[in-house]
Amino acid sequence: MSSTAEPILELERLYHRWKGPKPPVLDEVSLTLRAGEVTWIGGRNGAGKTTLLRLAAGILLPQRGSVHIGDLSPESHGGLYRRQIGFLSAGDRSLQARMRVSQQLDLWGRLAYVPRARRAAMVADSLRRFGLEEFAERRVDRMSMGQRQRIRLAMAFLHEPRVVLLDEPRNSLDDDGYRLLNEQITHAAKRGATVLWCSPRGEDRVIECDASFTLSDGHLERVA
């Protein structure tokens, strides 16, 4: 991907330190993600990858530094900023156990302000893209861990966000689920979104990326 592609998400000099004597998990971290790019960040558990994604998603606000999607910032534009984002968090508890799978996706579509006239079609398309059609009327708490991960991924991609943030997206996925994930990452990039995903294991980089980084001791280093 050319460096002249449109910048979508810009993280500038982010600093974050949790309470206690430990050093900052993020120390002057900057990253620009462009339209059509897929970017990977690796690092050990506790290195700050999830913190970085939560800042990018507008769930956490920067202690120092800034986060922007175009002219939007999470501090000034709140919900409008977050509607540009599709976010999968590792250990995500956003699923409603007693809902049917189709209801869960419809709820997510409403939260993302997908117009009612388009929502049913987008839910149906998400069920198809993640191999969940036959489970549409099954309760979430009766799905396997791998199937629940597919639901979370379907939620992240549902509203065709400009920015897709994925924290350990391969968790619990079988080979078919991993293939579907790859297809949707590729599709998102082709429509001009930017995709940032994190994992602790270098072997996960079998997903084709435009850039790869490691996060260690609060600093981001490009490796490819």
Side-chain angles (χ1 to χ4, degrees):
M1 177 60 61
S2 169
S3 62
T4 61
E6 176 195 4
I8 300 293
L9 175 65
E10 296 181 276
L11 314 177
E12 298 181 3
R13 304 185 70 178
L14 292 180
Y15 177 94
H16 196 88
R17 181 174 187 161
W18 299 108
K19 291 181 180 180
K22 293 183 178 181
V25 293
L26 302 174
D27 190 1
E28 302 287 315
V29 169
S30 296
L31 183 64
T32 297
L33 302 178
R34 299 179 181 276
E37 286 186 342
V38 179
T39 303
W40 174 81
I41 296 178
R44 60 175 175 77
N45 289 329
K49 302 183 302 297
T50 297
T51 301
L52 181 63
L53 288 183
R54 290 171 68 85
L55 286 164
I59 296 169
L60 289 177
L61 296 181
Q63 293 171 345
R64 292 206 303 264
S66 64
V67 178
H68 288 89
I69 297 175
D71 295 329
L72 304 177
S73 71
E75 296 96 331
S76 300
H77 303 94
L80 179 59
Y81 175 92
R82 287 187 288 274
R83 289 198 292 276
Q84 314 301 309
I85 304 273
F87 183 45
L88 170 80
S89 176
D92 192 4
R93 292 184 172 87
S94 61
L95 298 181
Q96 305 297 312
R98 295 182 178 275
M99 277 190 170
R100 297 191 301 274
V101 174
S102 58
Q103 290 178 314
Q104 176 71 71
L105 294 182
D106 182 75
L107 172 62
W108 196 255
R110 280 185 279 150
L111 293 174
Y113 288 81
V114 175
R116 184 175 181 179
R118 296 180 57 207
R119 204 160 58 235
M122 294 184 80
V123 167
D125 187 52
S126 291
L127 290 167
R128 178 189 59 78
R129 286 188 285 142
F130 283 95
L132 293 166
E133 288 175 298
E134 65 182 292
F135 307 110
E137 299 308 309
R138 182 177 295 184
R139 273 179 31 168
V140 169
D141 60 0
R142 295 176 181 170
M143 303 288 279
S144 70
M145 293 300 294
Q147 290 165 340
R148 292 184 196 186
Q149 184 74 343
R150 292 194 193 198
I151 297 170
R152 296 185 186 101
L153 287 165
M155 291 161 60
F157 286 90
L158 173 71
H159 56 297
E160 298 189 340
R162 296 178 68 194
V163 178
V164 182
L165 305 172
L166 305 173
D167 197 358
E168 301 188 29
R170 288 190 65 184
N171 278 356
S172 303
L173 289 181
D174 58 13
D175 288 345
D176 190 51
Y178 184 44
R179 176 185 60 79
L180 294 171
L181 168 62
N182 270 284
E183 288 177 357
Q184 296 314 309
I185 288 176
T186 299
H187 175 74
K190 284 183 176 179
R191 66 172 172 80
T194 188
V195 180
L196 173 62
W197 68 285
C198 296
S199 75
R201 300 178 297 278
E203 63 268 23
D204 278 352
R205 285 188 293 153
V206 291
I207 293 175
E208 186 174 349
C209 297
D210 297 282
S212 299
F213 296 82
T214 57
L215 184 61
S216 180
D217 298 323
H219 300 285
L220 199 61
E221 179 181 355
R222 183 159 185 165
V223 293

